[in-house]
Amino acid sequence: MSGDEVNPAAVAQPVEDVHGDGRWLSQHTRFVQECKDAEPDVLFVGDSMIQLMQQYEVWRDLFSPLHALNFGIGGDTTCNVLWRLQNGELDNIRPKVVVLWVGTNNHEHSAEQVAGGILTIAELLTSRLPKAKVVVLGLLPRGERPNPLREKNAAVNSFLRSWLPRLNHAQFLDVSGEFVHSDGTISPQDMFDYLHLTQTGYRNLSKPLSDLLLQILEDTPEERRASLI
């Protein structure tokens, strides 16, 4: 993309309420309210990969003790997350770390555009929360066997690996290699639908992520940190 082009993956947009039940906006409104009531040290934000994490033991065991909030909504794209963060989901909170995981639902955008959208969100986070660290999770492979969407997600990760060092407080964590077997397949034991993670899949992801978060939260009181390890 040239410098003059508007990246469509970096244009903030709410989700259109095609079903008429207002679910997406209701979830966003709930998150905005949580910002008024909570004092999180860690904020998780993204799509269903973030949202579903809260349903598994790893959330209770590894992340809930870190005073974490989960602002994941299934189906969200970079555009939707950008809109949410610009419209109240960062108000009244000052987390020490933000974990960002989004992009696999940007089907209408190229890999470069998706990575640019993720970078735009990371830039917003570092601007609005200058004392926070931002951890960007790499997109995981999808589909039982090699396919174009896997190649696209890998390309997104390649762009992010190159671009994120521009931001002083952003780090990139890519664990995508943990999920592809030597024959190129993904196991349903890790991804029940070859996209969303099982409890085993989240365990594989959460150990390196938890280690990184504990490292970042190095000013955590010793007695509390000891109970988390």
Side-chain angles (χ1 to χ4, degrees):
M1 294 181 297
S2 73
D4 297 329
E5 288 183 45
V6 174
N7 177 5
V11 177
Q13 290 182 335
V15 169
E16 183 182 355
D17 185 22
V18 294
H19 301 292
D21 58 9
R23 287 183 299 115
W24 186 86
L25 191 58
S26 295
Q27 291 177 87
H28 165 66
T29 302
R30 174 166 55 87
F31 293 157
V32 172
Q33 183 60 44
E34 284 189 54
C35 290
K36 299 176 182 178
D37 302 329
E39 296 182 2
D41 285 338
V42 184
L43 173 65
F44 285 74
V45 64
D47 54 31
S48 59
M49 305 300 286
I50 289 290
Q51 183 182 38
L52 293 176
M53 185 183 295
Q54 202 167 9
Q55 308 302 316
Y56 290 96
E57 290 180 0
V58 292
W59 183 264
R60 184 183 70 244
D61 294 346
L62 297 177
F63 302 123
S64 185
L66 299 179
H67 297 167
L69 282 181
N70 187 310
F71 285 179
I73 299 182
D76 266 13
T77 66
T78 54
C79 304
N80 308 140
V81 168
L82 188 60
W83 188 93
R84 291 199 278 126
L85 295 178
Q86 289 178 349
N87 287 273
E89 290 188 15
L90 295 179
D91 294 352
N92 306 307
I93 57 173
R94 292 295 178 266
K96 297 175 182 176
V97 191
V98 181
V99 179
L100 173 64
W101 202 9
V102 70
T104 197
N105 295 319
N106 284 66
H107 301 299
E108 298 178 0
H109 305 132
S110 70
E112 186 176 10
Q113 289 171 338
V114 177
I118 295 169
L119 183 65
T120 297
I121 298 171
E123 289 172 339
L124 172 68
L125 290 167
T126 57
S127 173
R128 290 284 304 275
L129 303 170
K131 294 183 179 180
K133 303 290 187 182
V134 177
V135 175
V136 177
L137 292 178
L139 302 187
L140 296 185
R142 48 188 294 164
E144 181 181 13
R145 301 180 184 281
N147 62 79
L149 283 181
R150 276 203 209 177
E151 296 174 9
K152 176 182 172 181
N153 283 4
V156 171
N157 290 346
S158 180
F159 282 118
L160 291 174
R161 197 173 288 108
S162 173
W163 294 348
L164 279 172
R166 302 176 189 172
L167 302 181
N168 291 333
H169 295 291
Q171 293 180 249
F172 184 57
L173 179 62
D174 182 12
V175 296
S176 57
E178 298 291 324
F179 296 95
V180 180
H181 295 200
S182 57
D183 62 356
T185 63
I186 287 174
S187 169
Q189 293 181 333
D190 290 326
M191 297 182 184
F192 59 85
D193 59 355
Y194 305 107
L195 170 63
H196 296 99
L197 295 172
T198 62
Q199 178 166 288
T200 300
Y202 274 115
R203 282 285 177 193
N204 292 338
L205 164 85
S206 296
K207 182 61 167 66
L209 176 57
S210 174
D211 288 346
L212 177 58
L213 293 180
L214 287 171
Q215 178 184 333
I216 294 172
L217 295 168
E218 58 187 8
D219 59 342
T220 303
E222 289 293 331
E223 62 274 12
R224 183 174 142 219
R225 188 188 314 165
S227 70
L228 297 173
I229 297 175

